[in-house]
């Protein structure tokens, strides 16, 4: 996956130190206190946004599992194509002792056709992720993610495994109501997400017990009008950082990027 890259430099305020002349000035009878400036630290953070997202066709996953689309989903697939899109944002510390407090990722489709069905991770995964080293769950036939693994899915898993990238794998199922089981070995930070039933997606990522550095991989399920071959979306990222206790948090935003995505 290629990236758009921007390097942010967070300039810290220059703190004042106070030099005290000793011994006491004999004529004045007191010490002279002189304020001096010390150099502020430059906090360098590189923010990356993936510009060639990985895409998986949900209907083809049914084909790979050698099963027919169930009747209750056939109506949806007659009018819509459903895809899984992996978005990526990452922060890399280049200089100083920068602490990334928050990353935000926003993407909005330019066309009117695409619609967000579900997001992974989403807010409901927060507690599941917090107690585990990774996440696992089910993908329904309509592209929705669930943190639970139903018994009927566990009993119908096939040997076929689809690799999505970033250590995410989908084990296909013969059950008509499910695409399969997904597993993700990465530990996500604390999550807020929004965008279902709209033409955009947004994630707000805050650190939990690990620094918010490196790749954060985010998956969006979308429905597009039948036969759509290309879509375009605009995307931005936001990084909030500081140097630690008692230092002012600063916010910087990337440029807005336009990304064309082939679905064929």
């Amino acid at each position: 996956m290629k990236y758009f890259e921007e390097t942010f430099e967070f300039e810290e305020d220059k703190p004042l130190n106070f030099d005290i002349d000793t011994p006491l000035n004999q004529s004045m009878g007191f010490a002279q206190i002189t304020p001096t400036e010390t150099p502020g630290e430059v906090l360098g953070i590189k923010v990356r946004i993936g510009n060639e997202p990985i895409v998986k066709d949900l209907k083809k996953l049914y084909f790979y599992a050698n099963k027919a689309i169930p009747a209750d989903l056939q109506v949806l697939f007659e009018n819509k194509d459903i895809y899984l899109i992996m978005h990526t944002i990452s922060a890399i510390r280049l200089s100083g002792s920068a602490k990334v407090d928050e990353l935000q990722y926003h993407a909005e489709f330019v066309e009117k056709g695409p619609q967000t069905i579900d997001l992974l991770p989403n807010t409901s995964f927060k507690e599941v992720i917090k107690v585990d080293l990774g996440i696992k769950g089910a993908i329904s036939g309509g592209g929705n993610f669930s943190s639970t693994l139903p018994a009927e899915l566990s009993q119908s898993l096939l040997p076929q495994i689809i690799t999505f990238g970033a250590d995410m794998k989908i084990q296909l199922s013969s059950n008509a109501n499910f695409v399969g089981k997904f597993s993700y070995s990465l530990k996500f930070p604390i999550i807020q997400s929004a965008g279902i039933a709209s033409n955009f997606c947004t994630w707000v990522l805050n650190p939990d017990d690990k620094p918010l550095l490196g790749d954060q991989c985010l998956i969006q399920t979308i429905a597009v009008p039948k036969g759509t071959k290309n879509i375009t979306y605009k995307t931005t990222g936001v990084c909030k950082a500081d140097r630690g206790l008692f230092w002012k948090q600063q916010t910087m935003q990337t440029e807005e990027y336009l990304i064309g995505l082939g679905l064929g």
Side-chain angles (χ1 to χ4, degrees):
M1 183 178 291
K2 297 181 180 179
Y3 296 92
F4 293 116
E5 292 186 344
E6 292 189 33
T7 299
F8 296 150
E9 290 188 347
F10 297 79
E11 293 280 357
E12 292 289 2
D13 295 332
K14 295 180 179 180
L16 292 179
N17 285 341
F18 294 91
D19 294 333
I20 304 176
D21 291 340
T22 55
L24 294 178
N25 186 299
Q26 298 298 320
S27 61
M28 301 296 293
F30 57 82
Q32 183 176 358
I33 301 176
T34 306
T36 61
E37 286 188 345
T38 59
E41 183 182 18
V42 176
L43 309 182
I45 299 173
K46 179 177 287 186
V47 173
R48 288 175 165 177
I49 292 177
N51 67 349
E52 291 186 358
I54 298 169
V55 181
K56 297 291 184 183
D57 185 334
L58 205 64
K59 195 171 184 178
K60 286 185 179 179
L61 295 182
Y62 270 92
F63 174 78
Y64 295 147
N66 195 28
K67 63 182 179 182
I69 298 174
D72 57 342
L73 290 175
Q74 190 64 47
V75 175
L76 175 62
F77 279 95
E78 283 179 357
N79 300 312
K80 301 283 187 179
D81 290 328
I82 301 177
Y83 295 90
L84 304 177
I85 301 174
M86 179 178 283
H87 302 270
T88 306
I89 185 170
S90 60
I92 300 173
R93 185 164 50 207
L94 299 177
S95 61
S97 54
K99 175 178 175 285
V100 178
D101 301 316
E102 184 172 289
L103 282 177
Q104 298 179 18
Y105 179 88
H106 309 279
E108 181 179 353
F109 293 105
V110 175
E111 300 89 352
K112 293 183 179 180
Q115 180 185 37
T116 301
I117 293 177
D118 206 356
L119 301 170
L120 178 71
N122 57 46
T123 308
S124 65
F125 279 88
K126 177 179 175 180
E127 292 304 318
V128 176
I129 295 165
K130 192 172 182 179
V131 299
D132 207 343
L133 293 178
I135 59 175
K136 59 184 178 182
I139 303 179
S140 73
N144 294 96
F145 298 102
S146 169
S147 59
T148 59
L149 200 63
E152 62 267 32
L153 174 58
S154 301
Q155 297 167 4
S156 62
L157 292 173
L158 299 171
Q160 291 98 323
I161 294 177
I162 304 295
T163 300
F164 202 92
D167 291 332
M168 180 179 181
K169 297 179 180 179
I170 301 172
Q171 185 173 3
L172 300 178
S173 167
S174 61
N175 189 299
N177 295 317
F178 296 95
V179 174
K181 166 191 171 184
F182 73 84
S183 59
Y184 214 159
S185 64
L186 297 180
K187 185 175 182 181
F188 286 99
I190 297 171
I191 301 296
Q192 299 177 68
S193 66
I196 294 174
S198 74
N199 70 331
F200 76 94
C201 61
T202 185
W203 283 272
V204 178
L205 313 176
N206 299 105
D208 193 357
D209 60 348
K210 293 185 178 180
L212 192 58
L213 297 172
D215 288 330
Q216 302 296 330
C217 299
L218 313 162
I219 300 175
Q220 177 189 25
T221 305
I222 65 165
V224 297
K226 191 75 173 178
T228 301
K229 298 299 182 184
N230 297 280
I231 55 175
T232 306
Y233 64 91
K234 50 188 179 182
T235 179
T236 57
V238 173
C239 179
K240 297 182 180 181
D242 69 81
R243 207 183 98 178
L245 193 62
F246 303 125
W247 289 81
K248 182 180 178 182
Q249 184 186 81
Q250 298 181 52
T251 302
M252 289 196 178
Q253 180 172 320
T254 69
E255 296 179 22
E256 183 177 86
Y257 296 105
L258 203 63
I259 298 177
L261 194 59
L263 302 177

